Amino acid sequence: MGYSVELENVSKFFGKTEALKDVCLQVNEGEVFAYIGPNGAGKSTTIRVLLGILKATKGSAKIFGRDAWKDAVEIHKKIAYVPGDVNLWPNLTGGEVIDLFVNLRGDRGKKTDDALRNRLIKDFNLDPTKKCRTYSKGNRQKVALVAAFASDVDLYILDEPTSGLDPLMEQVFQACVMEQKSKGKGVFLSSHIMSEVERLCDRVGIIREGELVEVGTLDELRHLTRYTMEVSAERQITGLNNLAGVHELKEKTNSVNFLVDTPAMGTVVAHLTQFGIKKIESTPPSLEELFMRHYKKEGAS
Amino acid sequence: MKKGNFENSFLLTKFILRRERVISCAWIVLLTLIVVGLVPGMKTAIDLESLDSLLPIMEIPAMVAMVGPAYASITGTFGALYTNFMMLFTAITVALMNIFLVARYTRTDEERGRYEVVRSLPTGRLANLSAVMITVVIVNVVLSAVLGLGMYATGDESMCFTGSMLWGMTNGAVGLVFAALAALFCQLSSSSRGATGYSFMALGFLYLLRAPGDMNPDMEILARISPLGLALRTEAYIENNFWPIYILVAAAAVITAAAFYFNHVRDIDQGIIAAKPGRAKGSFLMKTPAGLSFKLLKSGIIVWLVSMFMLGASYSSVLGEIDEFIAQNDMYRTLILGPAGIEFTEGFTVEQTVAFMQAAVRQAGFTLPELFSAMINNIMSLVTVIALLIFILKAVHEERDIRAELIHAAPVSRTRYLAGYAAIAFVCAIVLQFALVIGLYGVAVTSLADPSELTFLFLLEANMVYVPALWVMIGVTVLLIGAAPKASGAIWGYYAYSFLVVFIGRLSVFPAWLSKLTPFGYINELPMKQTEPLTLAVLTAIAAALTALGIFFYNRRDINAITH
């Protein structure tokens, strides 16, 4: 299987500001990939380079093995894009915009799937007869989502697609992504909603200040960080201070609380058994903690 | 209306003035610079002797229809000529400024959700509108003063202080009326686009309405109904009438009151004219990028088509009396008969002169209505350009509003997208010009005693010769869009230059080479000169090359480059 998205040392300058710095990234075909990072980190710039809307100053960006800039038109037949802040034509109706996008993406001459379109409009609870100027942000987002999922494509590029959606619609969205995933379609999802990322994504890439700081599965990312341990034992637990990989140790009367690096877990647990463990609780770092660590400047490792 | 309705109006006024200061100052300064700046230029170009020969031009019915009654002939001073020539266009520019100003702080704010925030604060229901109208008054008073003082500062002895201040006040008063009209339409329509659209239509209608009143004293009332007709009747530097100012200000007050009433009774985000539900499905236009572009431009194209037809028809309505008119006009007589002919017709009655002239032009191979209608075609092609530039610049506006990227994210090439807009503009050049011909010819047939004096084919040729020049203007704009999108608005500067050189150039005040810097300078006006197919072919090739070059650059740059 090939790569759906391939970035090689991609840099992008706007004047003197470097929005992307040597970004390297591969996303497998059929994979749901989360692209996360704080505001202004370069997520949308990466996506626009992938769409051939911005030209990379340096490096190469490929989708399905083709050059994102040169072969933009051919590539776009196989992808659907939903921006984070959808600007629509104020004097067109939502229904017209959906048909426009589906028609432009579809093969000419091939009939569009009206049943699917209408089902999605119903699922997302959208009134297609209203002019776009009257839509709220959430409704404009729905127009773009319906148009994307009603198109027959191989890769969905979604830039914070659920900002402005209510929790009910968030569920509809997740169901749509799961459905596409089960059909073997790929999704490149930029998001701030951790539960969404946790539920949907196979792999995660974290970008900060234009640099890709981490890529991997959630498990792999967790591996890089610390579990919270809470242990109570028959005897007073001692000697933890001297073990490598133990941090922020807090001793209470009958129990201890500390953070442990994942690789040191085995040694630590072996050490603990000699005190007669009564209860042991280990909590993996929440996604939130994981991201906060990377989002914050001082957390850079 | 309760007293609390206006709560905090003054605070909001300060806020609006703060947001507005740059735009309004730029309008006022630029307008004053252009209007006042033209004075010394025109004065050096016209010495007093040729001033007398310019006055008859103002009496040509087409000129009266365009710029107002020939008041200049009453005193025959430079100031009078300047008022005659510039007052109406200045007033229209001020009207446009006011329409944009009002729409920006009422409907646009409402559409973007900013008005809602203002209403959530302890402000009165009508406070925003009253703040906008107070701003309008301030802006127009400043404009009146700056423009008036600017005119006086030119130091021409025929431009007295009273007349200069009246010049400024007339424009300010017209501004107030159109600001009030725009405020009213902002209540009636539920969108900013609709409101400005209605306001432009009103402006166009009131401009046309005064034309018959200016041309025919029996229809004077039509000119006095129109704010633009009233503006002309101040006769600054001639009679210096102040009464039209009072009427204009009173009209503005009444219309503003109506706007307040409708603002009070309507709901937020709604208009008095209800918006009807739209299509649930896209039509065939939603299948291609060019279809979308056409759909976005459609209503504009229709409005322009109707306007061109109407303008053509209104000019043609004076063709019936064109013979007598030209017989009485020194300049045209000289132009047509030559000095020897003038000498020969010395002492002729008007009827004899007409008969002689008709014989003379027949010998030269053309007719008087041909001469006149060809001139109209020349001037009107400059109006067509405005429409075409608006159409092609839509491509930039789509990009600025981050909608072009939605289309480029679909499998639509850059070439296909921009070429679509260019193609629409190119076709519209022909179609709009044709609408003008139809309007001109349709009425000419009925108003001419002998319709065979003006054939359809002649009119068509006299009109279509300008199409290659129009295409070059489109080509230059496409090049700007491709190569320097942030500067694409500069095309309006080039347009203003072309307009001045071609329109004011009729008075032969500029050196000839200046007209060669605009495509219009290369087009031969019928029937005095012959059409040069080679020149037209070269212009067409230049237009095509510019367009291709623009698309070439568009393919090589970032989309949304305007926003970065």
Side-chain angles (χ1 to χ4, degrees):
Chain A
M1 218 159 41
Y3 296 125
S4 61
V5 169
E6 219 179 332
L7 294 170
E8 250 176 73
N9 294 90
V10 170
S11 295
K12 176 68 189 172
F13 284 84
F14 293 119
K16 278 184 182 161
T17 9
E18 192 171 14
L20 292 178
K21 296 172 194 164
D22 291 319
V23 174
C24 293
L25 175 69
Q26 278 111 18
V27 178
N28 300 312
E29 271 181 33
E31 188 174 52
V32 179
F33 186 86
Y35 195 53
I36 59 181
N39 293 328
K43 299 190 296 293
S44 296
T45 304
T46 311
I47 286 177
R48 283 175 174 160
V49 168
L50 284 173
L51 290 169
I53 285 168
L54 298 179
K55 190 175 187 177
T57 316
K58 215 176 73 203
S60 94
K62 287 181 181 164
I63 290 185
F64 297 127
R66 309 181 82 146
D67 187 284
W69 176 263
K70 283 190 209 128
D71 301 326
V73 177
E74 278 307 306
I75 291 169
H76 294 179
K77 288 179 182 165
K78 293 204 250 167
I79 65 170
Y81 165 59
V82 174
D85 198 356
V86 188
N87 283 298
L88 298 174
W89 298 271
N91 50 337
L92 298 187
T93 64
E96 285 179 303
V97 172
I98 291 169
D99 287 351
L100 172 74
F101 288 155
V102 174
N103 284 331
L104 289 182
R105 282 189 202 116
D107 289 332
R108 255 178 283 178
K110 195 178 144 191
K111 231 171 120 48
T112 50
D113 191 346
D114 276 354
L116 175 63
R117 168 194 186 271
N118 294 337
R119 198 202 81 201
L120 285 164
I121 287 177
K122 213 171 128 247
D123 286 352
F124 276 104
N125 196 17
L126 180 77
D127 179 355
T129 67
K130 280 195 168 170
K131 299 269 184 189
C132 291
R133 78 161 62 82
T134 65
Y135 284 139
S136 63
K137 173 165 169 45
N139 276 323
R140 290 202 302 272
Q141 211 74 37
K142 287 183 197 172
V143 170
L145 285 169
V146 170
F149 289 121
S151 307
D152 181 21
V153 297
D154 295 333
L155 175 67
Y156 294 85
I157 297 183
L158 312 173
D159 191 356
E160 296 180 34
T162 53
S163 51
L165 290 193
D166 62 47
L168 222 59
M169 289 305 134
E170 168 78 34
Q171 278 194 344
V172 176
F173 165 75
Q174 291 190 6
C176 284
V177 171
M178 296 306 261
E179 190 187 331
Q180 299 305 329
K181 188 178 176 180
S182 70
K183 285 198 242 168
K185 313 285 173 127
V187 178
F188 190 90
L189 171 73
S190 129
S191 177
H192 279 307
I193 298 168
M194 300 309 168
S195 60
E196 184 177 280
V197 172
E198 204 158 17
R199 273 199 64 192
L200 299 175
C201 298
D202 302 317
R203 286 202 306 146
V204 178
I206 300 175
I207 184 171
R208 205 192 57 231
E209 291 174 2
E211 279 177 287
L212 199 66
V213 289
E214 214 74 75
V215 185
T217 62
L218 278 176
D219 280 346
E220 284 167 350
L221 290 189
R222 285 202 177 110
H223 201 73
L224 296 170
T225 117
R226 296 158 185 172
Y227 278 60
T228 310
M229 305 285 285
E230 174 108 33
V231 186
S232 43
E234 286 162 5
R235 290 180 295 279
Q236 182 71 32
I237 299 169
T238 54
L240 277 172
N241 279 334
N242 306 325
L243 287 180
V246 173
H247 311 270
E248 294 181 35
L249 180 67
K250 281 178 215 126
E251 294 184 348
K252 294 176 200 162
T253 40
N254 285 321
S255 65
V256 285
N257 180 306
F258 59 92
L259 299 178
V260 59
D261 291 340
T262 319
M265 188 66 94
T267 336
V268 171
V269 173
H271 176 81
L272 288 170
T273 46
Q274 51 181 307
F275 301 101
I277 300 170
K278 281 204 294 200
K279 199 179 96 190
I280 184 163
E281 262 180 60
S282 84
T283 323
S286 75
L287 261 182
E288 224 95 357
E289 283 167 332
L290 205 69
F291 298 142
M292 289 309 272
R293 201 170 88 94
H294 284 288
Y295 279 22
K296 282 186 195 149
K297 250 189 180 164
E298 61 271 22
S301 47
Chain B
M1 292 186 204
K2 291 186 292 285
K3 191 175 156 222
N5 280 333
F6 295 94
E7 186 86 25
N8 271 330
S9 289
F10 289 105
L11 212 64
L12 282 176
T13 308
K14 266 167 73 180
F15 181 54
I16 291 176
L17 281 172
R18 212 187 131 66
R19 290 169 65 196
E20 175 61 20
R21 60 191 170 180
V22 176
I23 308 174
S24 272
C25 286
W27 269 97
I28 293 172
V29 168
L30 277 177
L31 183 76
T32 307
L33 280 180
I34 291 171
V35 172
V36 175
L38 269 176
V39 171
M42 256 175 92
K43 242 170 63 176
T44 42
I46 306 169
D47 49 57
L48 275 180
E49 208 166 349
S50 65
L51 182 64
D52 286 336
S53 67
L54 289 178
L55 295 176
I57 297 175
M58 307 311 292
E59 292 173 25
I60 304 169
M63 211 57 180
V64 174
M66 242 181 328
V67 303
Y71 293 128
S73 307
I74 300 172
T75 56
T77 61
F78 174 78
L81 180 73
Y82 198 73
T83 300
N84 208 164
F85 207 71
M86 289 298 291
M87 177 67 94
L88 200 49
F89 288 120
T90 313
I92 289 171
T93 314
V94 173
L96 289 174
M97 174 189 105
N98 277 278
I99 291 169
F100 287 129
L101 168 71
V102 169
R104 201 159 44 236
Y105 295 100
T106 55
R107 267 296 165 191
T108 307
D109 268 6
E110 196 165 331
E111 240 167 59
R112 303 273 159 93
R114 294 188 283 254
Y115 175 61
E116 199 177 350
V117 180
V118 169
R119 278 285 295 275
S120 74
L121 299 167
T123 55
R125 202 175 292 269
L126 300 173
N128 191 67
L129 185 57
S130 66
V132 172
M133 295 318 285
I134 294 169
T135 307
V136 160
V137 172
I138 295 171
V139 167
N140 282 296
V141 166
V142 172
L143 175 125
S144 301
V146 172
L147 192 56
L149 292 173
M151 294 295 279
Y152 183 61
T154 57
D156 188 276
E157 67 270 19
S158 64
M159 295 161 84
C160 61
F161 183 73
T162 316
S164 296
M165 292 321 285
L166 183 61
W167 227 96
M169 283 166 70
T170 307
N171 282 291
V174 170
L176 285 179
V177 174
F178 282 96
L181 273 174
L184 180 63
F185 287 127
C186 282
Q187 313 310 316
L188 298 184
S189 170
S190 61
S191 70
S192 161
R193 206 184 132 94
T196 40
Y198 287 133
S199 303
F200 291 158
M201 267 196 273
L203 179 61
F205 172 76
L206 292 169
Y207 174 74
L208 291 180
L209 185 70
R210 50 138 280 284
D214 284 349
M215 288 190 280
N216 186 346
D218 295 339
M219 294 192 224
E220 173 75 10
I221 182 70
L222 291 180
R224 293 193 181 200
I225 291 173
S226 166
L228 296 170
L230 279 171
L232 291 168
R233 273 143 192 80
T234 54
E235 297 181 43
Y237 301 133
I238 304 138
E239 296 284 340
N240 288 341
N241 299 322
F242 278 84
W243 60 263
I245 304 276
Y246 306 139
I247 302 179
L248 287 170
V249 172
V254 172
I255 300 166
T256 304
F260 275 119
Y261 171 75
F262 287 120
N263 190 223
H264 188 73
V265 297
R266 76 176 175 87
D267 285 334
I268 190 164
D269 288 338
Q270 303 294 312
I272 299 292
I273 305 165
K276 50 184 189 299
R279 292 164 175 271
K281 302 211 52 147
S283 67
F284 72 99
L285 289 176
M286 294 289 106
K287 288 193 190 300
T288 57
L292 168 73
S293 306
F294 179 73
K295 166 106 184 169
L296 296 176
L297 294 171
K298 198 174 71 181
S299 50
I301 293 175
I302 292 170
V303 168
W304 275 98
L305 273 178
V306 173
S307 307
M308 294 309 282
F309 176 84
M310 299 280 285
L311 283 167
S314 64
Y315 289 126
S316 239
S317 60
V318 303
L319 277 177
E321 295 86 45
I322 200 74
D323 296 5
E324 285 79 8
F325 170 76
I326 297 180
Q328 289 166 319
N329 183 290
D330 285 344
M331 189 200 74
Y332 261 79
R333 237 172 49 214
T334 321
L335 221 54
I336 291 161
L337 302 175
I342 295 285
E343 209 171 307
F344 185 77
T345 54
E346 191 73 54
F348 275 31
T349 62
V350 171
E351 286 76 20
Q352 284 171 314
T353 318
V354 168
F356 176 78
M357 257 174 26
Q358 279 173 341
V361 287
R362 205 169 296 127
Q363 206 169 18
F366 54 87
T367 65
L368 295 174
E370 283 177 347
L371 200 67
F372 176 78
S373 60
M375 185 186 80
I376 294 300
N377 276 313
N378 172 284
I379 294 167
M380 287 307 295
S381 65
L382 290 165
V383 179
T384 309
V385 187
I386 301 176
L388 302 177
L389 295 187
I390 291 173
F391 297 161
I392 190 73
L393 284 172
K394 180 75 178 163
V396 177
H397 296 155
E398 283 290 290
E399 191 179 340
R400 190 195 56 202
D401 293 346
I402 332 232
R403 289 190 292 253
E405 72 162 35
L406 295 174
I407 301 303
H408 286 310
V412 172
S413 71
R414 305 276 184 97
T415 303
R416 193 173 161 210
Y417 181 73
L418 192 55
Y421 272 102
I424 291 172
F426 272 68
V427 172
C428 280
I430 299 174
V431 175
L432 286 180
Q433 288 287 90
F434 195 71
L436 177 70
V437 171
I438 300 287
L440 276 168
Y441 188 70
V443 176
V445 174
T446 56
S447 72
L448 280 175
D450 176 11
S452 70
E453 282 191 316
L454 188 63
T455 67
F456 183 71
L457 283 177
F458 171 83
L459 256 184
L460 195 62
E461 186 186 340
N463 172 288
M464 289 294 161
V465 287
Y466 295 101
V467 168
L470 299 175
W471 286 345
V472 171
M473 295 299 284
I474 298 170
V476 174
T477 318
V478 174
L479 179 60
L480 282 171
I481 292 171
K486 280 182 195 171
S488 54
I491 190 66
W492 291 112
Y494 186 51
Y495 169 72
Y497 172 82
S498 302
F499 183 89
L500 286 178
V501 166
V502 177
F503 183 61
I504 299 183
R506 290 197 157 270
L507 306 181
S508 315
V509 289
F510 301 127
W513 63 268
L514 280 178
S515 73
K516 295 298 172 196
L517 296 179
T518 152
F520 291 93
Y522 292 90
I523 308 278
N524 281 346
E525 185 176 325
L526 295 181
M528 311 283 259
K529 291 185 198 152
Q530 294 289 307
T531 303
E532 286 173 8
L534 183 65
T535 311
L536 300 188
V538 170
L539 283 175
T540 306
I542 290 173
L546 288 169
T547 306
L549 201 59
I551 292 171
F552 173 84
F553 284 118
Y554 188 67
N555 267 293
R556 268 146 198 84
R557 71 167 172 87
D558 288 347
I559 296 296
N560 301 339
I562 307 154
T563 44
H564 282 299

